[in-house]
Amino acid sequence: MHKSFIRKLFTSLFLFLLTPFCFSQIRDYVGVVRQQYFPEHVKYFENYRDELKENGSSTYANYVDSYLKGTFGSGFVYVAADGTNYVITNRHVVSQAASASIEFEDADSGELKKYENLTVLLTDDEIDIAILGFKDGEKPFKKGLTLSSSAVSDGQEVWSAGFPGLGSSPVWQLGKGTVTNARARIKDLLDPAVSPLIQHSAQVDGGNSGGPLMISSSKGTAGYEVAGINTWKATYRDSTNFAIPSSVILTMINKAQKKADDSDSKKALEERSKKLAEVLMDLSGNFTSVAKYISYERASTQGQKDFDSVLHFAPSKVRSSVLDAFSYDPAEGLRYACAYQLWKKYSAESNDGAKYSAGSISETDGVYGVEYTSDSEKAAKFTLTWKKEHGLWRIEKISSDAKEEDSKNASKKSSSKKNNKKTEKSESSSYFESPEINSWDNTVLSAGVESSLNGKDLAIRVSADFFENGGGIWGTSIMFHSESVDIYGHEEDVAAFGMGGGFRVPVKMGSFGVSPYAKIVGNLAYGGDFVFIGYAIEAGAQFIFNCDGDVHFGFGAGFKQLYLKPWMDWDTDRSLSDIGDPDSFMNRALSLYAVISF
């Protein structure tokens, strides 16, 4: 008993003395991961940012600018049995990478050792893990962190390692906590059928993504083994962080090590194209489930057009989802916009339940296409061209793209014939299709005053216009206005309510828009002891400013002609014909008012 106590004491003392050594050495294998975008992608977003600024959409231009500056995460080195070096991180850290880099900080000097041009070998849509390989298969590390082969248990001590941001710079952080739920099943994060998650309390902050969650081990490198990869943090609860277990990481590494032949690649495409067909057939789903099938290359070539279309014509719920994604990650927002356009054209929901199925794969000069046919003659068939991005098949082109481009070119050609003096600059003008917040909202509220041209006092004017979905041209109008009416030699104050319809012709001009309009409403009014009937005709223009938000402000001016005719004596309930038919009332007025639209 005494010898056992001595042995435990010496073991504890040894581990205590070894701890600082382990802390400093773990930095040798955990680094800062940054992604480098495709040059074409950068050029596209730089032009897009400048266009947004010119159109007055400064908030969204700033989102793009922040995106171009790039973000960072964490990652760690793993060395396979054959000596191949890998960097393990989260998929979202390198989701749009043409290449990536990892840098390691020397604990004593603070100097950085950086490895560039890492290749994204493998990612997975369902699992937020990415496997990176060093340039040209280089093997700068003889050993890396060790993956644990055993599952953790509740209450077990764990450590988080990585480089969360402090300000705009990554700063090393080693945190300690415990496993609070060894088998957390959270479907929104990872399908429990794939794996449960490790919930723990070790410190995780922005920038820790992709860093290891570790347990103490005398067998592991630097005294640790990797139990999982830190991926999520619950913002609404204290010390509630989630890691994907090491068993899933090992499965991903094994996949990356296998060199798939051409038949395996086609089989993967066949399975993926069928999964997309299932998504389009799902009447309970929505367009966001299509986003993961859209390539970033398509987002950069087709995304701006689709984004603009969403802002102008999509339902508010769709627009909100796309804008939320765009504010977080502009490239993701464009993917969402592309996904919606595909969903709108070919989903069962948009085709009265008609369902598409994927056909066989065709290949021409290394280009892979899959034709989709429907069980309904009314639903047109289409072909998708697929390409590989980060080890996954994603959509590059849709056959309807060519038809739309041909139609666009034909329209330009026709326009050119009508006006051969039109300049190239005016042809590419974005005044009428600028990808900005939709200034032509469905609901327009206004309130102001109007001055009668008949010499009466100023009157109050309030109206509400409700246009068809997508910022339409035609709409319903409700109006309230006050008037002073001369009846039987007496001047009566009258409150008039009207309902009718109208139209507008919206024209965007950079950061604001002009919307000429006209409307006619039927009126029912009362004042004194009398009830009046009549109508009002109004025409004018509204100027609405782009405020980079869901609500827009502006002003309007108009000309109104009002006709009212006494109908009955409210007090005695007598028809006015019984007491003498009075003259009708006609008034013309100029109005000036404030506008709120949403």
Side-chain angles (χ1 to χ4, degrees), residues 34-66:
R34 304 178 192 270
Q35 64 179 333
Q36 282 74 50
Y37 303 127
F38 291 94
E40 299 83 2
H41 208 149
V42 173
K43 184 178 180 180
Y44 164 76
F45 270 109
E46 286 175 342
N47 292 334
Y48 192 19
R49 174 199 58 199
D50 296 341
E51 184 175 335
L52 286 168
K53 287 181 179 178
E54 290 175 4
N55 290 333
S57 299
S58 57
T59 298
Y60 290 93
N62 290 337
Y63 288 149
V64 175
D65 208 31
S66 297

PDB file of all heavy atoms in Angstrom, residues 34-66:
ATOM      1  N   ARG A  34      -5.370  29.445 -43.325  1.00  0.00           N
ATOM      2  CA  ARG A  34      -6.003  30.496 -44.127  1.00  0.00           C
ATOM      3  C   ARG A  34      -6.244  29.946 -45.532  1.00  0.00           C
ATOM      4  O   ARG A  34      -5.457  29.164 -46.045  1.00  0.00           O
ATOM      5  CB  ARG A  34      -5.120  31.744 -44.217  1.00  0.00           C
ATOM      6  CG  ARG A  34      -4.725  32.340 -42.873  1.00  0.00           C
ATOM      7  CD  ARG A  34      -3.818  33.545 -43.085  1.00  0.00           C
ATOM      8  NE  ARG A  34      -3.180  33.980 -41.853  1.00  0.00           N
ATOM      9  CZ  ARG A  34      -3.695  34.888 -41.008  1.00  0.00           C
ATOM     10  NH1 ARG A  34      -4.864  35.444 -41.302  1.00  0.00           N
ATOM     11  NH2 ARG A  34      -3.052  35.230 -39.905  1.00  0.00           N
ATOM     12  N   GLN A  35      -7.334  30.398 -46.144  1.00  0.00           N
ATOM     13  CA  GLN A  35      -7.607  29.971 -47.511  1.00  0.00           C
ATOM     14  C   GLN A  35      -7.285  31.091 -48.499  1.00  0.00           C
ATOM     15  O   GLN A  35      -7.451  32.268 -48.198  1.00  0.00           O
ATOM     16  CB  GLN A  35      -9.067  29.541 -47.666  1.00  0.00           C
ATOM     17  CG  GLN A  35     -10.099  30.632 -47.443  1.00  0.00           C
ATOM     18  CD  GLN A  35     -11.515  30.120 -47.653  1.00  0.00           C
ATOM     19  OE1 GLN A  35     -11.764  29.172 -48.398  1.00  0.00           O
ATOM     20  NE2 GLN A  35     -12.476  30.748 -46.984  1.00  0.00           N
ATOM     21  N   GLN A  36      -6.808  30.700 -49.667  1.00  0.00           N
ATOM     22  CA  GLN A  36      -6.576  31.641 -50.759  1.00  0.00           C
ATOM     23  C   GLN A  36      -7.638  31.375 -51.828  1.00  0.00           C
ATOM     24  O   GLN A  36      -7.745  30.253 -52.338  1.00  0.00           O
ATOM     25  CB  GLN A  36      -5.172  31.457 -51.360  1.00  0.00           C
ATOM     26  CG  GLN A  36      -4.052  32.070 -50.531  1.00  0.00           C
ATOM     27  CD  GLN A  36      -3.746  31.259 -49.275  1.00  0.00           C
ATOM     28  OE1 GLN A  36      -3.564  30.048 -49.342  1.00  0.00           O
ATOM     29  NE2 GLN A  36      -3.702  31.917 -48.130  1.00  0.00           N
ATOM     30  N   TYR A  37      -8.423  32.418 -52.151  1.00  0.00           N
ATOM     31  CA  TYR A  37      -9.488  32.265 -53.128  1.00  0.00           C
ATOM     32  C   TYR A  37      -8.929  32.098 -54.538  1.00  0.00           C
ATOM     33  O   TYR A  37      -7.800  32.482 -54.827  1.00  0.00           O
ATOM     34  CB  TYR A  37     -10.420  33.481 -53.111  1.00  0.00           C
ATOM     35  CG  TYR A  37     -11.038  33.785 -51.771  1.00  0.00           C
ATOM     36  CD1 TYR A  37     -10.937  35.053 -51.207  1.00  0.00           C
ATOM     37  CD2 TYR A  37     -11.743  32.814 -51.077  1.00  0.00           C
ATOM     38  CE1 TYR A  37     -11.513  35.348 -49.983  1.00  0.00           C
ATOM     39  CE2 TYR A  37     -12.316  33.085 -49.856  1.00  0.00           C
ATOM     40  CZ  TYR A  37     -12.200  34.359 -49.304  1.00  0.00           C
ATOM     41  OH  TYR A  37     -12.770  34.641 -48.090  1.00  0.00           O
ATOM     42  N   PHE A  38      -9.756  31.566 -55.432  1.00  0.00           N
ATOM     43  CA  PHE A  38      -9.392  31.507 -56.841  1.00  0.00           C
ATOM     44  C   PHE A  38      -9.216  32.924 -57.370  1.00  0.00           C
ATOM     45  O   PHE A  38     -10.023  33.810 -57.068  1.00  0.00           O
ATOM     46  CB  PHE A  38     -10.477  30.789 -57.649  1.00  0.00           C
ATOM     47  CG  PHE A  38     -10.577  29.318 -57.373  1.00  0.00           C
ATOM     48  CD1 PHE A  38     -11.476  28.832 -56.424  1.00  0.00           C
ATOM     49  CD2 PHE A  38      -9.774  28.416 -58.044  1.00  0.00           C
ATOM     50  CE1 PHE A  38     -11.573  27.479 -56.158  1.00  0.00           C
ATOM     51  CE2 PHE A  38      -9.866  27.056 -57.792  1.00  0.00           C
ATOM     52  CZ  PHE A  38     -10.760  26.586 -56.848  1.00  0.00           C
ATOM     53  N   PRO A  39      -8.168  33.181 -58.161  1.00  0.00           N
ATOM     54  CA  PRO A  39      -7.939  34.542 -58.693  1.00  0.00           C
ATOM     55  C   PRO A  39      -9.159  35.096 -59.427  1.00  0.00           C
ATOM     56  O   PRO A  39      -9.478  36.285 -59.292  1.00  0.00           O
ATOM     57  CB  PRO A  39      -6.752  34.348 -59.643  1.00  0.00           C
ATOM     58  CG  PRO A  39      -6.030  33.152 -59.105  1.00  0.00           C
ATOM     59  CD  PRO A  39      -7.097  32.254 -58.569  1.00  0.00           C
ATOM     60  N   GLU A  40      -9.856  34.230 -60.205  1.00  0.00           N
ATOM     61  CA  GLU A  40     -11.045  34.691 -60.923  1.00  0.00           C
ATOM     62  C   GLU A  40     -12.141  35.097 -59.946  1.00  0.00           C
ATOM     63  O   GLU A  40     -12.893  36.046 -60.182  1.00  0.00           O
ATOM     64  CB  GLU A  40     -11.561  33.579 -61.850  1.00  0.00           C
ATOM     65  CG  GLU A  40     -10.580  33.140 -62.922  1.00  0.00           C
ATOM     66  CD  GLU A  40      -9.566  32.132 -62.403  1.00  0.00           C
ATOM     67  OE1 GLU A  40      -9.649  31.746 -61.218  1.00  0.00           O
ATOM     68  OE2 GLU A  40      -8.686  31.740 -63.190  1.00  0.00           O
ATOM     69  N   HIS A  41     -12.201  34.351 -58.841  1.00  0.00           N
ATOM     70  CA  HIS A  41     -13.183  34.629 -57.807  1.00  0.00           C
ATOM     71  C   HIS A  41     -12.916  36.003 -57.178  1.00  0.00           C
ATOM     72  O   HIS A  41     -13.831  36.790 -56.957  1.00  0.00           O
ATOM     73  CB  HIS A  41     -13.087  33.537 -56.737  1.00  0.00           C
ATOM     74  CG  HIS A  41     -14.363  33.287 -56.017  1.00  0.00           C
ATOM     75  ND1 HIS A  41     -14.716  32.067 -55.514  1.00  0.00           N
ATOM     76  CD2 HIS A  41     -15.377  34.111 -55.682  1.00  0.00           C
ATOM     77  CE1 HIS A  41     -15.884  32.138 -54.917  1.00  0.00           C
ATOM     78  NE2 HIS A  41     -16.302  33.375 -55.004  1.00  0.00           N
ATOM     79  N   VAL A  42     -11.667  36.279 -56.887  1.00  0.00           N
ATOM     80  CA  VAL A  42     -11.281  37.561 -56.287  1.00  0.00           C
ATOM     81  C   VAL A  42     -11.604  38.709 -57.233  1.00  0.00           C
ATOM     82  O   VAL A  42     -12.179  39.735 -56.830  1.00  0.00           O
ATOM     83  CB  VAL A  42      -9.776  37.564 -55.941  1.00  0.00           C
ATOM     84  CG1 VAL A  42      -9.336  38.955 -55.482  1.00  0.00           C
ATOM     85  CG2 VAL A  42      -9.474  36.534 -54.856  1.00  0.00           C
ATOM     86  N   LYS A  43     -11.241  38.548 -58.501  1.00  0.00           N
ATOM     87  CA  LYS A  43     -11.490  39.595 -59.486  1.00  0.00           C
ATOM     88  C   LYS A  43     -12.984  39.874 -59.608  1.00  0.00           C
ATOM     89  O   LYS A  43     -13.414  41.036 -59.671  1.00  0.00           O
ATOM     90  CB  LYS A  43     -10.916  39.177 -60.839  1.00  0.00           C
ATOM     91  CG  LYS A  43     -11.044  40.239 -61.916  1.00  0.00           C
ATOM     92  CD  LYS A  43     -10.396  39.774 -63.218  1.00  0.00           C
ATOM     93  CE  LYS A  43     -10.535  40.848 -64.300  1.00  0.00           C
ATOM     94  NZ  LYS A  43      -9.910  40.406 -65.581  1.00  0.00           N
ATOM     95  N   TYR A  44     -13.766  38.813 -59.636  1.00  0.00           N
ATOM     96  CA  TYR A  44     -15.216  38.961 -59.738  1.00  0.00           C
ATOM     97  C   TYR A  44     -15.774  39.750 -58.564  1.00  0.00           C
ATOM     98  O   TYR A  44     -16.552  40.698 -58.741  1.00  0.00           O
ATOM     99  CB  TYR A  44     -15.868  37.581 -59.805  1.00  0.00           C
ATOM    100  CG  TYR A  44     -17.349  37.599 -59.523  1.00  0.00           C
ATOM    101  CD1 TYR A  44     -18.235  38.057 -60.482  1.00  0.00           C
ATOM    102  CD2 TYR A  44     -17.850  37.187 -58.293  1.00  0.00           C
ATOM    103  CE1 TYR A  44     -19.597  38.089 -60.218  1.00  0.00           C
ATOM    104  CE2 TYR A  44     -19.196  37.221 -58.025  1.00  0.00           C
ATOM    105  CZ  TYR A  44     -20.074  37.680 -58.994  1.00  0.00           C
ATOM    106  OH  TYR A  44     -21.407  37.720 -58.731  1.00  0.00           O
ATOM    107  N   PHE A  45     -15.375  39.376 -57.340  1.00  0.00           N
ATOM    108  CA  PHE A  45     -15.917  40.054 -56.165  1.00  0.00           C
ATOM    109  C   PHE A  45     -15.391  41.481 -56.021  1.00  0.00           C
ATOM    110  O   PHE A  45     -16.086  42.346 -55.478  1.00  0.00           O
ATOM    111  CB  PHE A  45     -15.619  39.241 -54.903  1.00  0.00           C
ATOM    112  CG  PHE A  45     -16.700  38.246 -54.588  1.00  0.00           C
ATOM    113  CD1 PHE A  45     -16.477  36.889 -54.760  1.00  0.00           C
ATOM    114  CD2 PHE A  45     -17.934  38.657 -54.137  1.00  0.00           C
ATOM    115  CE1 PHE A  45     -17.472  35.961 -54.487  1.00  0.00           C
ATOM    116  CE2 PHE A  45     -18.939  37.752 -53.861  1.00  0.00           C
ATOM    117  CZ  PHE A  45     -18.709  36.395 -54.033  1.00  0.00           C
ATOM    118  N   GLU A  46     -14.197  41.750 -56.499  1.00  0.00           N
ATOM    119  CA  GLU A  46     -13.706  43.134 -56.477  1.00  0.00           C
ATOM    120  C   GLU A  46     -14.569  44.013 -57.380  1.00  0.00           C
ATOM    121  O   GLU A  46     -14.938  45.137 -57.002  1.00  0.00           O
ATOM    122  CB  GLU A  46     -12.243  43.173 -56.928  1.00  0.00           C
ATOM    123  CG  GLU A  46     -11.272  42.645 -55.878  1.00  0.00           C
ATOM    124  CD  GLU A  46      -9.841  42.585 -56.379  1.00  0.00           C
ATOM    125  OE1 GLU A  46      -9.631  42.627 -57.619  1.00  0.00           O
ATOM    126  OE2 GLU A  46      -8.926  42.483 -55.542  1.00  0.00           O
ATOM    127  N   ASN A  47     -14.886  43.506 -58.560  1.00  0.00           N
ATOM    128  CA  ASN A  47     -15.757  44.259 -59.471  1.00  0.00           C
ATOM    129  C   ASN A  47     -17.154  44.410 -58.897  1.00  0.00           C
ATOM    130  O   ASN A  47     -17.791  45.461 -59.014  1.00  0.00           O
ATOM    131  CB  ASN A  47     -15.823  43.558 -60.837  1.00  0.00           C
ATOM    132  CG  ASN A  47     -14.507  43.601 -61.574  1.00  0.00           C
ATOM    133  OD1 ASN A  47     -13.697  44.493 -61.358  1.00  0.00           O
ATOM    134  ND2 ASN A  47     -14.277  42.629 -62.450  1.00  0.00           N
ATOM    135  N   TYR A  48     -17.627  43.338 -58.272  1.00  0.00           N
ATOM    136  CA  TYR A  48     -18.971  43.351 -57.679  1.00  0.00           C
ATOM    137  C   TYR A  48     -19.042  44.356 -56.533  1.00  0.00           C
ATOM    138  O   TYR A  48     -20.004  45.119 -56.408  1.00  0.00           O
ATOM    139  CB  TYR A  48     -19.308  41.946 -57.199  1.00  0.00           C
ATOM    140  CG  TYR A  48     -20.754  41.743 -56.819  1.00  0.00           C
ATOM    141  CD1 TYR A  48     -21.756  42.592 -57.254  1.00  0.00           C
ATOM    142  CD2 TYR A  48     -21.121  40.668 -56.024  1.00  0.00           C
ATOM    143  CE1 TYR A  48     -23.071  42.383 -56.917  1.00  0.00           C
ATOM    144  CE2 TYR A  48     -22.437  40.449 -55.677  1.00  0.00           C
ATOM    145  CZ  TYR A  48     -23.410  41.310 -56.128  1.00  0.00           C
ATOM    146  OH  TYR A  48     -24.713  41.110 -55.781  1.00  0.00           O
ATOM    147  N   ARG A  49     -18.007  44.392 -55.698  1.00  0.00           N
ATOM    148  CA  ARG A  49     -17.942  45.365 -54.600  1.00  0.00           C
ATOM    149  C   ARG A  49     -18.007  46.789 -55.134  1.00  0.00           C
ATOM    150  O   ARG A  49     -18.757  47.626 -54.616  1.00  0.00           O
ATOM    151  CB  ARG A  49     -16.660  45.158 -53.810  1.00  0.00           C
ATOM    152  CG  ARG A  49     -16.390  46.203 -52.728  1.00  0.00           C
ATOM    153  CD  ARG A  49     -14.931  46.197 -52.343  1.00  0.00           C
ATOM    154  NE  ARG A  49     -14.075  46.454 -53.496  1.00  0.00           N
ATOM    155  CZ  ARG A  49     -12.780  46.156 -53.544  1.00  0.00           C
ATOM    156  NH1 ARG A  49     -12.179  45.589 -52.519  1.00  0.00           N
ATOM    157  NH2 ARG A  49     -12.076  46.430 -54.628  1.00  0.00           N
ATOM    158  N   ASP A  50     -17.234  47.071 -56.174  1.00  0.00           N
ATOM    159  CA  ASP A  50     -17.216  48.418 -56.746  1.00  0.00           C
ATOM    160  C   ASP A  50     -18.581  48.785 -57.324  1.00  0.00           C
ATOM    161  O   ASP A  50     -19.037  49.929 -57.203  1.00  0.00           O
ATOM    162  CB  ASP A  50     -16.139  48.515 -57.828  1.00  0.00           C
ATOM    163  CG  ASP A  50     -14.730  48.326 -57.268  1.00  0.00           C
ATOM    164  OD1 ASP A  50     -14.574  48.493 -56.032  1.00  0.00           O
ATOM    165  OD2 ASP A  50     -13.815  48.006 -58.046  1.00  0.00           O
ATOM    166  N   GLU A  51     -19.240  47.807 -57.932  1.00  0.00           N
ATOM    167  CA  GLU A  51     -20.565  48.062 -58.501  1.00  0.00           C
ATOM    168  C   GLU A  51     -21.587  48.347 -57.404  1.00  0.00           C
ATOM    169  O   GLU A  51     -22.430  49.239 -57.536  1.00  0.00           O
ATOM    170  CB  GLU A  51     -21.004  46.873 -59.343  1.00  0.00           C
ATOM    171  CG  GLU A  51     -22.338  47.101 -60.067  1.00  0.00           C
ATOM    172  CD  GLU A  51     -22.700  45.956 -60.982  1.00  0.00           C
ATOM    173  OE1 GLU A  51     -21.783  45.240 -61.425  1.00  0.00           O
ATOM    174  OE2 GLU A  51     -23.899  45.785 -61.259  1.00  0.00           O
ATOM    175  N   LEU A  52     -21.513  47.599 -56.319  1.00  0.00           N
ATOM    176  CA  LEU A  52     -22.416  47.836 -55.195  1.00  0.00           C
ATOM    177  C   LEU A  52     -22.224  49.237 -54.626  1.00  0.00           C
ATOM    178  O   LEU A  52     -23.191  49.924 -54.276  1.00  0.00           O
ATOM    179  CB  LEU A  52     -22.178  46.779 -54.108  1.00  0.00           C
ATOM    180  CG  LEU A  52     -22.701  45.370 -54.405  1.00  0.00           C
ATOM    181  CD1 LEU A  52     -22.154  44.384 -53.395  1.00  0.00           C
ATOM    182  CD2 LEU A  52     -24.215  45.344 -54.393  1.00  0.00           C
ATOM    183  N   LYS A  53     -20.965  49.668 -54.517  1.00  0.00           N
ATOM    184  CA  LYS A  53     -20.691  51.009 -54.011  1.00  0.00           C
ATOM    185  C   LYS A  53     -21.284  52.069 -54.933  1.00  0.00           C
ATOM    186  O   LYS A  53     -21.880  53.041 -54.478  1.00  0.00           O
ATOM    187  CB  LYS A  53     -19.186  51.213 -53.865  1.00  0.00           C
ATOM    188  CG  LYS A  53     -18.556  50.466 -52.695  1.00  0.00           C
ATOM    189  CD  LYS A  53     -17.060  50.735 -52.604  1.00  0.00           C
ATOM    190  CE  LYS A  53     -16.446  50.009 -51.412  1.00  0.00           C
ATOM    191  NZ  LYS A  53     -14.973  50.221 -51.340  1.00  0.00           N
ATOM    192  N   GLU A  54     -21.111  51.881 -56.235  1.00  0.00           N
ATOM    193  CA  GLU A  54     -21.645  52.839 -57.199  1.00  0.00           C
ATOM    194  C   GLU A  54     -23.165  52.904 -57.138  1.00  0.00           C
ATOM    195  O   GLU A  54     -23.760  53.959 -57.347  1.00  0.00           O
ATOM    196  CB  GLU A  54     -21.199  52.447 -58.612  1.00  0.00           C
ATOM    197  CG  GLU A  54     -19.716  52.657 -58.865  1.00  0.00           C
ATOM    198  CD  GLU A  54     -19.296  52.136 -60.222  1.00  0.00           C
ATOM    199  OE1 GLU A  54     -20.182  51.690 -60.986  1.00  0.00           O
ATOM    200  OE2 GLU A  54     -18.085  52.186 -60.529  1.00  0.00           O
ATOM    201  N   ASN A  55     -23.799  51.761 -56.827  1.00  0.00           N
ATOM    202  CA  ASN A  55     -25.258  51.720 -56.747  1.00  0.00           C
ATOM    203  C   ASN A  55     -25.796  52.183 -55.403  1.00  0.00           C
ATOM    204  O   ASN A  55     -27.004  52.185 -55.182  1.00  0.00           O
ATOM    205  CB  ASN A  55     -25.762  50.293 -57.023  1.00  0.00           C
ATOM    206  CG  ASN A  55     -25.567  49.897 -58.467  1.00  0.00           C
ATOM    207  OD1 ASN A  55     -25.535  50.750 -59.344  1.00  0.00           O
ATOM    208  ND2 ASN A  55     -25.419  48.609 -58.718  1.00  0.00           N
ATOM    209  N   GLY A  56     -24.901  52.550 -54.485  1.00  0.00           N
ATOM    210  CA  GLY A  56     -25.329  53.038 -53.183  1.00  0.00           C
ATOM    211  C   GLY A  56     -25.568  51.965 -52.143  1.00  0.00           C
ATOM    212  O   GLY A  56     -26.002  52.264 -51.035  1.00  0.00           O
ATOM    213  N   SER A  57     -25.285  50.703 -52.474  1.00  0.00           N
ATOM    214  CA  SER A  57     -25.489  49.606 -51.513  1.00  0.00           C
ATOM    215  C   SER A  57     -24.222  49.424 -50.682  1.00  0.00           C
ATOM    216  O   SER A  57     -23.528  48.409 -50.777  1.00  0.00           O
ATOM    217  CB  SER A  57     -25.846  48.311 -52.252  1.00  0.00           C
ATOM    218  OG  SER A  57     -27.035  48.467 -52.971  1.00  0.00           O
ATOM    219  N   SER A  58     -23.927  50.414 -49.853  1.00  0.00           N
ATOM    220  CA  SER A  58     -22.654  50.427 -49.122  1.00  0.00           C
ATOM    221  C   SER A  58     -22.547  49.293 -48.112  1.00  0.00           C
ATOM    222  O   SER A  58     -21.466  48.732 -47.918  1.00  0.00           O
ATOM    223  CB  SER A  58     -22.480  51.774 -48.408  1.00  0.00           C
ATOM    224  OG  SER A  58     -23.577  52.025 -47.548  1.00  0.00           O
ATOM    225  N   THR A  59     -23.660  48.944 -47.468  1.00  0.00           N
ATOM    226  CA  THR A  59     -23.614  47.866 -46.476  1.00  0.00           C
ATOM    227  C   THR A  59     -23.176  46.560 -47.123  1.00  0.00           C
ATOM    228  O   THR A  59     -22.303  45.850 -46.607  1.00  0.00           O
ATOM    229  CB  THR A  59     -24.988  47.681 -45.817  1.00  0.00           C
ATOM    230  OG1 THR A  59     -25.328  48.880 -45.127  1.00  0.00           O
ATOM    231  CG2 THR A  59     -24.959  46.519 -44.820  1.00  0.00           C
ATOM    232  N   TYR A  60     -23.759  46.230 -48.265  1.00  0.00           N
ATOM    233  CA  TYR A  60     -23.425  44.983 -48.944  1.00  0.00           C
ATOM    234  C   TYR A  60     -22.046  45.052 -49.593  1.00  0.00           C
ATOM    235  O   TYR A  60     -21.353  44.043 -49.703  1.00  0.00           O
ATOM    236  CB  TYR A  60     -24.519  44.622 -49.947  1.00  0.00           C
ATOM    237  CG  TYR A  60     -25.771  44.209 -49.227  1.00  0.00           C
ATOM    238  CD1 TYR A  60     -26.766  45.134 -48.932  1.00  0.00           C
ATOM    239  CD2 TYR A  60     -25.921  42.914 -48.745  1.00  0.00           C
ATOM    240  CE1 TYR A  60     -27.892  44.774 -48.216  1.00  0.00           C
ATOM    241  CE2 TYR A  60     -27.039  42.547 -48.025  1.00  0.00           C
ATOM    242  CZ  TYR A  60     -28.020  43.478 -47.762  1.00  0.00           C
ATOM    243  OH  TYR A  60     -29.120  43.125 -47.047  1.00  0.00           O
ATOM    244  N   ALA A  61     -21.630  46.236 -49.991  1.00  0.00           N
ATOM    245  CA  ALA A  61     -20.264  46.409 -50.491  1.00  0.00           C
ATOM    246  C   ALA A  61     -19.264  46.133 -49.374  1.00  0.00           C
ATOM    247  O   ALA A  61     -18.209  45.526 -49.599  1.00  0.00           O
ATOM    248  CB  ALA A  61     -20.074  47.824 -51.033  1.00  0.00           C
ATOM    249  N   ASN A  62     -19.591  46.563 -48.144  1.00  0.00           N
ATOM    250  CA  ASN A  62     -18.705  46.304 -46.998  1.00  0.00           C
ATOM    251  C   ASN A  62     -18.640  44.819 -46.672  1.00  0.00           C
ATOM    252  O   ASN A  62     -17.590  44.309 -46.257  1.00  0.00           O
ATOM    253  CB  ASN A  62     -19.184  47.091 -45.779  1.00  0.00           C
ATOM    254  CG  ASN A  62     -18.974  48.579 -45.937  1.00  0.00           C
ATOM    255  OD1 ASN A  62     -18.119  49.009 -46.714  1.00  0.00           O
ATOM    256  ND2 ASN A  62     -19.752  49.370 -45.236  1.00  0.00           N
ATOM    257  N   TYR A  63     -19.769  44.105 -46.836  1.00  0.00           N
ATOM    258  CA  TYR A  63     -19.761  42.657 -46.621  1.00  0.00           C
ATOM    259  C   TYR A  63     -18.768  41.990 -47.574  1.00  0.00           C
ATOM    260  O   TYR A  63     -17.984  41.119 -47.182  1.00  0.00           O
ATOM    261  CB  TYR A  63     -21.158  42.056 -46.863  1.00  0.00           C
ATOM    262  CG  TYR A  63     -22.184  42.370 -45.812  1.00  0.00           C
ATOM    263  CD1 TYR A  63     -23.539  42.479 -46.145  1.00  0.00           C
ATOM    264  CD2 TYR A  63     -21.820  42.555 -44.484  1.00  0.00           C
ATOM    265  CE1 TYR A  63     -24.502  42.769 -45.178  1.00  0.00           C
ATOM    266  CE2 TYR A  63     -22.771  42.841 -43.516  1.00  0.00           C
ATOM    267  CZ  TYR A  63     -24.115  42.946 -43.867  1.00  0.00           C
ATOM    268  OH  TYR A  63     -25.058  43.224 -42.920  1.00  0.00           O
ATOM    269  N   VAL A  64     -18.809  42.405 -48.831  1.00  0.00           N
ATOM    270  CA  VAL A  64     -17.908  41.829 -49.835  1.00  0.00           C
ATOM    271  C   VAL A  64     -16.461  42.195 -49.526  1.00  0.00           C
ATOM    272  O   VAL A  64     -15.552  41.367 -49.644  1.00  0.00           O
ATOM    273  CB  VAL A  64     -18.296  42.301 -51.250  1.00  0.00           C
ATOM    274  CG1 VAL A  64     -17.288  41.795 -52.271  1.00  0.00           C
ATOM    275  CG2 VAL A  64     -19.697  41.823 -51.611  1.00  0.00           C
ATOM    276  N   ASP A  65     -16.246  43.438 -49.107  1.00  0.00           N
ATOM    277  CA  ASP A  65     -14.893  43.892 -48.785  1.00  0.00           C
ATOM    278  C   ASP A  65     -14.308  43.073 -47.630  1.00  0.00           C
ATOM    279  O   ASP A  65     -13.146  42.659 -47.671  1.00  0.00           O
ATOM    280  CB  ASP A  65     -14.917  45.374 -48.419  1.00  0.00           C
ATOM    281  CG  ASP A  65     -13.609  46.064 -48.729  1.00  0.00           C
ATOM    282  OD1 ASP A  65     -12.933  45.664 -49.690  1.00  0.00           O
ATOM    283  OD2 ASP A  65     -13.249  46.991 -47.991  1.00  0.00           O
ATOM    284  N   SER A  66     -15.113  42.850 -46.594  1.00  0.00           N
ATOM    285  CA  SER A  66     -14.656  42.037 -45.462  1.00  0.00           C
ATOM    286  C   SER A  66     -14.368  40.608 -45.895  1.00  0.00           C
ATOM    287  O   SER A  66     -13.396  39.990 -45.453  1.00  0.00           O
ATOM    288  CB  SER A  66     -15.721  42.033 -44.352  1.00  0.00           C
ATOM    289  OG  SER A  66     -15.914  43.334 -43.845  1.00  0.00           O
TER     290      SER A  66
END
